[in-house]
Amino acid sequence: MIHIKAKLELIYKSLYKIYGPQGWWPIIKKNSKDTGIACTYHPEDYHIPQNKSQIYEICIGAILTQNTAWKNVEKALINLHQINGLNPKNINKINFEELKQAIRPAGYFNQKAKKIQQFNEFFQNLKNKTPSRENLLNVWGIGPETADSILLYAYKQTSFVIDVYTKRIFSNLGLIDENMKYDEVKSIFEQNIKSDLIIYQEYHALIVEHAKNFYNKKSNYSKDPLIKILQK
DNA sequence: AACCAGGACGTGA
DNA sequence: TCACGTCATGGT
């Protein structure tokens, strides 16, 4: 039997070969005001954050995408940007009701508005430091997956992100137990994958992309091509 | 027209 | 600890 390290590496290389680099996290494309063109997302604009504003944007996106399709999050982020809400300098100036209406398309808007408000306070107290995982988990509204997403994509920390897709895929492949807890699964990945930022970032993004193709609730998991790849 | 999406929190047992 | 209910919009 092949060691789990070799399997995780084989899976990564296979997914990378199939889908190519994903370039997560998506960053909004902000057109200049004088063009009057609405903000949009372009895959070619995905990149590692370059400044504080983009770090903040990723954090807000990570909160907004909780149990929500990214397409809906895009609408909310564009709304937020249009009221100047993605600039960390202005986060105190937006009133609560305006915030709620802007993020409405992302669902759970009452809860998420409160989560964003809580995060804002935390973010400002951070100054320009990198938060620890514990710091993030102490913020109301930030659980393990959101914390790891923020660490990995906003702050470039090698913290592997686990989500429902990860559990579905790897339990289907027999590499983890389906009722393992978050931190158990996380440590399996972190102990068996080279601790490299780009690999961590791409691996999680590739898992999501692959899951969208083969691991929707209604899909038949036995059709996953990774099964045959692992059999060789 | 139900069902689900890149979760997290509150509650009762 | 753990299982379950709740939160909400938009796409299929």
Side-chain angles (χ1 to χ4, degrees):
Chain A
M1 173 180 163
I2 314 177
H3 193 275
I4 184 157
K5 266 183 190 170
K7 289 187 177 178
L8 290 179
E9 188 176 344
L10 175 58
I11 290 169
Y12 176 72
K13 289 187 171 171
S14 303
L15 292 178
Y16 194 91
K17 197 171 180 179
I18 297 170
Y19 303 109
Q22 303 298 299
W24 274 27
W25 192 278
I27 304 282
I28 200 172
K29 166 124 179 148
K30 293 157 182 158
N31 297 303
S32 60
K33 284 174 184 169
D34 40 51
T35 66
I37 302 171
C39 307
T40 51
Y41 273 94
H42 302 287
E44 65 269 23
D45 294 322
Y46 292 6
H47 58 78
I48 286 179
Q50 308 291 326
N51 54 51
K52 190 171 178 180
S53 178
Q54 294 186 343
I55 288 174
Y56 178 74
E57 177 183 332
I58 291 174
C59 297
I60 299 306
I63 291 171
L64 289 176
T65 199
Q66 291 171 358
N67 201 37
T68 300
W70 182 256
K71 195 72 185 170
N72 292 350
V73 178
E74 285 185 3
K75 298 176 195 291
L77 286 174
I78 289 169
N79 287 344
L80 267 182
H81 177 244
Q82 284 171 343
I83 62 172
N84 216 352
L86 287 182
N87 185 343
K89 284 185 177 179
N90 298 334
I91 56 186
N92 284 328
K93 297 178 185 170
I94 318 174
N95 73 41
F96 196 55
E97 287 308 312
E98 199 178 1
L99 173 62
K100 276 188 183 178
Q101 294 314 310
I103 66 169
R104 197 179 181 115
Y108 310 108
F109 61 90
N110 289 305
Q111 286 190 345
K112 284 177 178 174
K114 185 180 168 189
K115 291 179 181 182
I116 288 174
Q117 213 173 41
Q118 299 283 312
F119 178 78
N120 284 347
E121 197 179 333
F122 171 77
F123 187 76
Q124 286 180 309
N125 290 334
L126 263 183
K127 305 298 176 185
N128 291 315
K129 289 188 299 185
T130 297
S132 71
R133 190 166 191 265
E134 275 213 326
N135 289 160
L136 288 165
L137 289 175
N138 283 331
V139 179
W140 186 88
I142 297 185
E145 183 183 342
T146 308
D148 288 331
S149 295
I150 289 174
L151 287 171
L152 180 61
Y153 294 107
Y155 289 100
K156 309 174 190 176
Q157 305 298 299
T158 50
S159 190
F160 205 90
V161 180
I162 307 300
D163 64 347
V164 283
Y165 286 153
T166 312
K167 290 184 180 175
R168 255 181 235 168
I169 294 177
F170 290 88
S171 63
N172 184 52
L173 296 175
L175 298 185
I176 65 168
D177 187 353
E178 65 180 330
N179 43 29
M180 270 183 178
K181 288 189 283 186
Y182 187 98
D183 288 335
E184 297 180 73
V185 181
K186 177 181 172 68
S187 68
I188 288 180
F189 278 85
E190 293 187 345
Q191 285 168 16
N192 292 290
I193 296 172
K194 181 183 168 191
S195 184
D196 176 273
L197 177 66
I198 300 301
I199 293 178
Y200 273 37
Q201 291 181 329
E202 288 294 340
Y203 210 150
H204 173 63
L206 286 166
I207 284 169
V208 173
E209 182 57 32
H210 184 61
K212 283 176 178 170
N213 292 312
F214 295 98
Y215 286 86
N216 287 322
K217 275 259 171 107
K218 52 178 180 175
S219 58
N220 180 3
Y221 301 167
S222 66
K223 290 196 296 184
D224 181 0
L226 287 175
I227 295 175
K228 288 184 181 174
I229 292 175
L230 286 173
Q231 278 171 352
K232 293 178 191 172

